[in-house]
Amino acid sequence: MSTIADDASPLAPDDAGVPSPKGPWAFLGAALPGGLGSWGLQLMAGWLCFHVLTSVLWAQHMRSLAGWSGLPNYWGEMLSVRDVWEMAENGGMKNHATGMWAPLAALLSMAWFLWAGWQVQARAAKVPARFMAWFWSFADALLIAAIPLGLVGWLVLGSLEKMAETGIQGLGWLDWVGGTLVRFALVSTFFLQVWLCRLGRTQACGWRLGGWRKLARHLRLSFLRLWVHPIQWTVLVIAGVAVRAGLPFLVLFLGWRMGGGSTGRVWSLLGLQALAVLANAWLIGWFLRVTALFWRNDTAVQDVIQDLEARTAER
């Protein structure tokens, strides 16, 4: 019997009370509520701190080294590679590039939004948010996703590079822009595999006698939950990456158009960046809930399949 059935062939009629296999698209609407709950707001706050607070602390560090800041006056001017090299070599940045507070804030805010994201997903899936499930899910994802994703990335990026080598300008831009989105999408897909693995680990994997059999089943189901719906997951990942990359780019483009000249313009740009970051964090939370609802439904389907197989074996 197939482990995960196609969307078009339900296991049993819905009105019979038996869950039917569905792809992630089926849960887009159901996952919309819940983004502004306690943990959803914490996810957004942690993501905001990671992106904005670290930038502010780094800028303040640079200002303290120089004794002044040219950001309000020179914002909007492009820096050449030589300018960056001069600042690094002769501007006192070589041994004090980031300071202490910016990387510390980055680490703390990263831990905050990662844990808040796990809490958002666990509540949507109605499972306990166990730390060990979160911890071991990264090892699971590396084990089952590193080779497939590496192969896909090698094929797609290699094809884009070959097209760019033809010298056609449009294909060169496609390689540059498309290649960047593909790299972001591969990272996003890896984290999607992590999300599926950590949900599965809340139920599946004890390390007692017989635990290895449970582990094998858990890894197989986690792998299939991603790769049996390649079109739906690919569309969601690519669209999410495009939006999350596009919003900060639009803010940055607007900043270059605005130019500097006043502290008010710099703070206005910072506010726009914060709004873009909050919107991206909400989208991440939505994607987490979509994944959780998909996993919850598929788990119910797998329970029915396992029960039917057990009854068949008894006959």
Side-chain angles (χ1 to χ4, degrees):
M1 184 179 293
S2 175
T3 305
I4 300 179
D6 294 332
D7 298 348
S9 56
L11 185 69
D14 290 338
D15 56 7
V18 179
S20 60
K22 298 175 183 178
W25 287 1
F27 305 98
L28 295 179
L32 286 174
L36 299 179
S38 172
W39 285 106
L41 292 175
Q42 289 194 51
L43 170 64
M44 296 170 70
W47 196 246
L48 180 66
C49 289
F50 180 75
H51 283 271
V52 177
L53 179 61
T54 52
S55 299
V56 172
L57 290 174
W58 180 76
Q60 289 295 327
H61 173 68
M62 293 292 100
R63 183 178 183 275
S64 67
L65 288 179
W68 66 288
S69 175
L71 183 60
N73 294 325
Y74 299 105
W75 181 260
E77 294 185 6
M78 296 292 290
L79 292 177
S80 66
V81 175
R82 181 174 180 80
D83 293 332
V84 176
W85 183 86
E86 286 286 347
M87 286 192 297
E89 290 293 323
N90 304 319
M93 291 175 56
K94 197 168 186 178
N95 298 322
H96 308 280
T98 61
M100 178 184 71
W101 296 110
L104 179 61
L107 288 174
L108 292 177
S109 56
M110 181 183 296
W112 186 13
F113 74 69
L114 285 175
W115 185 250
W118 177 211
Q119 293 287 343
V120 166
Q121 191 177 37
R123 277 158 173 73
K126 299 187 183 302
V127 296
R130 295 171 178 161
F131 174 79
M132 293 306 294
W134 176 85
F135 179 81
W136 283 106
S137 63
F138 289 93
D140 292 343
L142 282 172
L143 186 63
I144 64 177
I147 293 177
L149 288 178
L151 181 60
V152 170
W154 177 72
L155 290 173
V156 176
L157 294 174
S159 299
L160 290 174
E161 184 177 351
K162 288 294 184 182
M163 289 189 291
E165 290 175 355
T166 61
I168 301 175
Q169 185 176 6
L171 295 180
W173 279 101
L174 179 63
D175 178 38
W176 183 59
V177 178
T180 301
L181 290 178
V182 167
R183 290 178 177 88
F184 286 155
L186 290 172
V187 174
S188 183
T189 304
F190 174 77
F191 275 96
L192 172 59
Q193 185 70 84
V194 171
W195 298 350
L196 292 168
C197 288
R198 69 189 182 188
L199 286 168
R201 270 197 173 266
T202 60
Q203 293 183 341
C205 293
W207 292 93
R208 304 178 300 274
L209 183 64
W212 291 105
R213 188 176 301 173
K214 293 181 180 180
L215 175 61
R217 183 175 186 271
H218 154 68
L219 293 176
R220 177 172 59 85
L221 290 178
S222 297
F223 179 84
L224 290 174
R225 282 165 180 152
L226 177 63
W227 294 96
V228 166
H229 303 282
I231 295 177
Q232 294 196 28
W233 284 126
T234 299
V235 171
L236 288 176
V237 168
I238 294 293
V241 165
V243 172
R244 292 198 304 273
L247 287 176
F249 176 79
L250 290 176
V251 172
L252 182 62
F253 177 77
L254 180 60
W256 291 124
R257 298 286 296 177
M258 288 170 55
S262 69
T263 303
R265 288 189 179 183
V266 175
W267 281 104
S268 297
L269 179 66
L270 186 63
L272 291 174
Q273 287 178 330
L275 289 176
V277 169
L278 289 174
N280 282 347
W282 185 90
L283 287 172
I284 292 172
W286 180 43
F287 201 7
L288 283 163
R289 294 190 298 276
V290 169
T291 307
L293 294 177
F294 163 77
W295 174 88
R296 185 180 170 193
N297 178 79
D298 189 73
T299 299
V301 171
Q302 297 308 314
D303 290 342
V304 172
I305 293 175
Q306 197 170 30
D307 183 60
L308 290 175
E309 290 176 343
R311 292 183 182 181
T312 303
E314 290 174 358
R315 293 177 180 175

